[in-house]
């Protein structure tokens, strides 16, 4: 049995999107020859909401090591709130101790808290242990460089320069890459010729069937978000101006529907939930302003505050239909793509034609997938979807069995382990 040390600053019960791959993979690593241990930041220092139900998917036998972090109350005065930066010193000391006490074959960074990844090169040099990075998002990116300041993330000037400095320190020595998007890997290999020949794998997050059962069993503990007596279409996930190109066709369809079928479309509510990463009550709407441009704000409800993972699943399951908007970044994959598919609810997806999400949905043989960048009839098709919803012509989705197996959490855990094995072969 080979031993894997996973670096994941967020871990259950913290409700963070970037720890979901690790959480869903842990039940399967052992059957594929890897014994995994987690090193995470103690919950007392985390800065995100918690969901105790997330612990139900983590085996009691899993070894979890905890590290401290600097208090955010102190570091935020210096403009440094990142849990990766706050925990970096403590990660170094704790993992140094573990690597001295036990033989690990590989270190695996699976997080979007990327600054912590610079320790991989340090540990490889000090202990000779290779490391793999899971690129769930781009780390250093020029995406916002030419955007107006109001479209840039908070503290962009600082984070852009920090990422530009730190990324090469971690990437030039990495022994393997996993990513949700082939574009992310391609861009990195162009940027860093040193890693041109290392093992890589494109692996999405996957579908973890036990999650839907947990959500259903606990649905009475969640508050009802959706209004009764309406046809409720739901999207849960981040918002942003980069999604406007995908959302606009739906909003135009609603505006036209209100003009032609006002009685029907007045009963439509489209929810955008958890659209901001800001602390509760501090998020700025990014979807509602677009709805106002189309004069359909009475049909659109944006809730910027995030909800827990299982509350998300329960809400998706109670919706009449689901909506997935893509980004104008072709490499983007919605993090909750597979939870959507697990519910088998009627699904309208409007995405970029070159996005990984488009490919996955095509493999699933999802019925209502439209590309906002090359489909001239997208407005009419969106109206047809909504009319079918009003007329009760939409039913539970039946997906391709091969896709269900291919994108199961178990199979994608196997693919991760194969990548780990290839890294060790390359180092032999």
């Amino acid at each position: 049995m080979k031993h894997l040390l996973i670096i994941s600053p967020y871990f259950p019960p913290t409700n963070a999107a970037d720890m979901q791959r690790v959480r869903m993979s842990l039940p399967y690593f052992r059957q594929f020859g890897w014994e995994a241990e987690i090193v995470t930041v103690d919950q007392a220092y985390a800065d995100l909401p918690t969901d105790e139900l997330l612990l139900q998917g983590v085996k009691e036998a899993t070894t979890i090591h905890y590290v401290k972090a600097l208090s955010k109350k102190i570091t935020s005065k210096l403009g440094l709130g990142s849990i990766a930066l706050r925990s970096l010193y403590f990660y170094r000391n704790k993992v140094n101790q573990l690597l001295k006490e036990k033989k690990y074959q590989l270190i695996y960074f699976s997080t979007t808290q990327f600054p912590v990844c610079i320790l991989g090169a340090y540990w490889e040099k000090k202990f000779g242990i290779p490391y793999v990075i899971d690129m769930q998002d781009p780390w250093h990116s020029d995406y916002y460089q030419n955007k107006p300041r109001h479209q840039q993330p908070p503290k962009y000037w600082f984070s852009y320069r920090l990422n530009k400095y730190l990324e090469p320190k971690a990437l030039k020595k990495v022994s393997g890459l996993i990513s949700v998007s082939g574009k992310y890997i391609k861009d990195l290999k162009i940027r860093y010729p040193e890693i041109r020949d290392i093992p890589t794998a494109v692996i999405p997050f996957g579908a973890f069937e036990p999650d839907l059962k947990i959500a259903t069993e606990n649905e009475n503990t969640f508050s009802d978000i959706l209004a009764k007596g309406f046809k409720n279409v739901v999207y849960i996930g981040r918002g942003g101006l980069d999604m406007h190109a995908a959302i606009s066709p739906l909003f135009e369809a609603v505006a036209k529907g209100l003009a032609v079928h006002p009685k029907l479309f007045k009963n439509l509510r489209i929810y955008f939930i958890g659209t901001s990463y800001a602390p509760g009550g501090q998020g700025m709407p990014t979807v509602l302003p677009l709805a106002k441009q189309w004069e359909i704000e009475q049909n659109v409800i944006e809730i910027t505050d995030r909800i827990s993972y299982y509350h998300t699943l329960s809400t998706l399951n109670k919706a009449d239909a689901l909506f997935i908007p893509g980004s104008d970044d072709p490499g983007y994959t919605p993090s909750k793509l597979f939870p959507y598919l697990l519910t088998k609810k009627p699904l309208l997806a409007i995405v970029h034609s070159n996005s990984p999400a488009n490919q996955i949905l095509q493999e699933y043989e999802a019925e209502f997938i439209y590309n906002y960048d090359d489909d001239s009839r997208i407005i009419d098709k969106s109206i047809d979807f909504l009319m079918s919803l009003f007329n009760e012509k939409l039913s539970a989705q039946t997906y391709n069995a091969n896709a269900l197996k291919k994108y199961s959490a178990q199979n994608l855990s196997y693919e991760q382990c194969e990548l780990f094995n290839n890294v060790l072969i390359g180092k032999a």
Side-chain angles (χ1 to χ4, degrees):
M1 189 69 65
K2 297 180 285 290
H3 291 87
L4 177 70
L5 195 62
I6 300 176
I7 309 299
S8 180
Y10 291 125
F11 194 69
T14 299
N15 183 35
D18 68 343
M19 62 80 197
Q20 296 290 4
R21 189 198 295 281
V22 171
R23 182 186 68 87
M24 293 186 291
S25 301
L26 281 174
Y28 306 110
F29 277 154
R30 187 173 180 83
Q31 73 183 79
F32 300 129
W34 287 85
E35 185 75 51
E37 298 180 15
I38 311 295
V39 188
T40 189
V41 177
D42 190 291
Q43 180 59 41
Y45 303 94
D47 52 352
L48 294 180
T50 61
D51 184 351
E52 296 297 326
L53 293 176
L54 287 166
L55 293 170
Q56 292 190 21
V58 180
K59 290 185 176 181
E60 292 184 4
T62 301
T63 300
I64 305 174
H65 307 279
Y66 295 95
V67 301
K68 297 179 180 180
L70 297 174
S71 170
K72 191 174 182 179
K73 292 181 180 179
I74 298 174
T75 61
S76 60
K77 295 178 181 179
L78 303 174
L80 301 174
S82 160
I83 196 170
L85 297 174
R86 292 190 290 118
S87 64
L88 201 62
Y89 170 79
F90 301 96
Y91 256 117
R92 189 196 68 171
N93 290 349
K94 180 64 176 181
V95 175
N96 280 354
Q97 175 190 340
L98 293 173
L99 297 180
K100 290 175 182 177
E101 295 174 351
K102 185 175 179 178
K103 175 66 175 177
Y104 297 91
Q105 278 71 40
L106 190 68
I107 297 174
Y108 181 30
F109 294 88
S110 187
T111 178
T112 55
Q113 303 302 312
F114 290 119
V116 75
C117 297
I118 64 171
L119 291 171
Y122 165 76
W123 289 322
E124 184 186 44
K125 182 177 181 180
K126 186 175 180 67
F127 297 97
I129 299 175
Y131 63 98
V132 169
I133 297 178
D134 176 13
M135 300 298 298
Q136 299 179 19
D137 287 325
W139 183 350
H140 170 60
S141 170
D142 292 325
Y143 177 82
Y144 290 102
Q145 273 296 88
N146 297 319
K147 304 287 185 184
R149 178 168 292 185
H150 72 276
Q151 293 186 21
Q152 295 176 350
K155 303 176 184 177
Y156 176 71
W157 185 93
F158 174 77
S159 62
Y160 176 83
R161 285 156 180 79
L162 180 67
N163 292 339
K164 185 177 182 179
Y165 173 72
L166 293 181
E167 185 187 79
K169 294 185 176 299
L171 267 295
K172 287 183 178 181
K173 298 295 182 180
V174 71
S175 296
L177 285 175
I178 290 173
S179 179
V180 297
S181 169
K183 182 179 183 300
Y184 297 165
I185 292 176
K186 180 181 178 181
D187 290 347
L188 289 172
K189 287 194 170 187
I190 292 173
R191 192 178 300 161
Y192 306 110
E194 300 93 332
I195 63 171
R196 183 181 55 195
D197 298 322
I198 66 170
T200 62
V202 178
I203 306 175
F205 272 31
F208 191 54
E209 297 243 3
D211 280 342
L212 197 56
K213 182 174 182 290
I214 294 172
T216 302
E217 291 174 347
N218 293 275
E219 64 179 12
N220 292 333
T221 66
F222 305 125
S223 60
D224 286 330
I225 296 177
L226 309 182
K228 300 186 186 304
F230 294 90
K231 289 295 185 182
N232 294 312
V233 179
V234 175
Y235 165 72
I236 303 179
R238 75 162 183 87
L241 299 181
D242 63 303
M243 292 183 170
H244 279 197
I247 297 172
S248 289
L250 176 61
F251 283 4
E252 184 174 351
V254 174
K256 288 187 174 182
L258 282 166
V260 179
H261 304 285
K263 290 184 179 180
L264 281 179
F265 277 78
K266 283 181 179 178
N267 290 321
L268 175 68
R269 292 293 180 270
I270 306 176
Y271 286 81
F272 293 82
I273 302 170
T275 55
S276 174
Y277 291 120
Q282 299 180 31
M284 296 294 293
T286 55
V287 178
L288 194 57
L290 182 63
K292 290 179 179 179
Q293 290 180 28
W294 288 104
E295 299 182 348
I296 62 165
E297 60 268 31
Q298 71 275 12
N299 294 90
V300 175
I301 299 171
E302 181 175 8
I303 301 171
T304 59
D305 289 355
R306 289 165 290 177
I307 59 176
S308 74
Y309 179 71
Y310 289 104
H311 194 179
T312 292
L313 287 180
S314 177
T315 303
L316 293 175
N317 213 29
K318 291 177 180 178
D320 296 295
L322 308 178
F323 174 54
I324 293 181
S327 168
D328 59 16
D329 174 5
Y332 172 75
T333 301
S335 63
K336 294 182 176 64
L337 176 60
F338 291 100
Y340 275 77
L341 294 167
L342 275 177
T343 68
K344 298 184 179 178
K345 288 283 183 173
L347 171 64
L348 172 65
I350 300 179
V351 297
H352 194 284
S353 58
N354 293 327
S355 74
N358 186 49
Q359 176 187 333
I360 292 168
L361 290 166
Q362 295 285 352
E363 290 185 58
Y364 265 78
E365 298 178 359
E367 188 173 356
F368 305 102
I369 320 163
Y370 306 125
N371 304 137
Y372 68 81
D373 56 317
D374 68 359
D375 191 337
S376 60
R377 295 192 62 246
I378 191 170
I379 309 300
D380 293 336
K381 291 176 180 178
S382 298
I383 292 175
D384 289 344
F385 177 87
L386 295 173
M387 290 301 296
S388 295
L389 177 63
F390 292 131
N391 295 327
E392 307 290 343
K393 292 183 178 180
L394 298 178
S395 57
Q397 302 296 285
T398 301
Y399 294 121
N400 183 287
N402 291 329
L404 291 171
K405 181 179 179 180
K406 176 181 177 180
Y407 292 108
S408 68
Q410 181 177 20
N411 188 61
L412 297 181
S413 300
Y414 166 76
E415 292 188 13
Q416 290 173 76
C417 291
E418 282 295 285
L419 185 281
F420 301 155
N421 293 334
N422 288 336
V423 167
L424 296 190
I425 291 171
K427 290 293 182 178

